[in-house]
Amino acid sequence: MFYPNNFQQATSIEEIRRFIAENKLAFVYISRTNCGVCHAVRPQVQEMLEEFPAIKAIQANADDIPEVAGEFTVFTVPALLLFVEGKEMIREARFVVMDELHHQFQRITDNL
């Protein structure tokens, strides 16, 4: 099934920093080009984010922006990071339990 691309595509580490600073709820999806898990998880996350319009999303390809891994201490992809007012509140990586991620998103958006 195809879902609309609701991820803004990052082109630089500066753009990611600015995105986090400018959005109260900023979701950063870090992936790599040849990561099968990344490509499988992304549509599931995109579909879930449709339920949470307050969460703004951006994708960063670690192959195109290598410094993203160091900036956010990412050792494996996909890495899913949710920042609330610039502070990292959720971090999931590699094998993501979607129900748990949904619960975390719900808890954070309910408390705003």
Side-chain angles (χ1 to χ4, degrees), residues 55-103:
I55 299 175
K56 304 305 177 201
I58 193 168
Q59 179 175 3
N61 185 323
D63 293 328
D64 299 334
I65 311 170
E67 59 269 47
V68 76
E71 176 94 6
F72 298 108
T73 319
V74 170
F75 298 105
T76 186
V77 290
L80 291 67
L81 311 174
L82 180 68
F83 295 85
V84 178
E85 295 178 346
K87 182 174 187 239
E88 184 182 315
M89 298 297 283
I90 296 175
R91 173 181 288 252
E92 296 289 334
R94 194 71 181 151
F95 300 107
V96 180
V97 178
M98 290 299 156
D99 289 343
E100 177 59 26
L101 184 62
H102 186 278
H103 176 74

Side-chain angles (χ1 to χ4, degrees), residues 20-38:
I20 292 168
E22 291 173 356
N23 291 285
K24 183 173 185 170
L25 295 175
F27 180 78
V28 181
Y29 187 86
I30 302 170
S31 63
R32 295 183 78 110
T33 304
N34 293 323
C35 168
V37 175
C38 299

Side-chain angles (χ1 to χ4, degrees), residues 9-57:
Q9 195 65 44
T11 56
S12 69
I13 193 71
E14 292 78 17
E15 182 181 4
I16 299 165
R17 289 181 191 134
R18 190 168 48 252
F19 182 84
I20 292 168
E22 291 173 356
N23 291 285
K24 183 173 185 170
L25 295 175
F27 180 78
V28 181
Y29 187 86
I30 302 170
S31 63
R32 295 183 78 110
T33 304
N34 293 323
C35 168
V37 175
C38 299
H39 298 299
V41 168
R42 180 179 167 163
Q44 296 174 63
V45 173
Q46 286 178 290
E47 181 180 21
M48 186 185 309
L49 285 171
E50 289 177 13
E51 292 180 50
F52 302 99
I55 299 175
K56 304 305 177 201

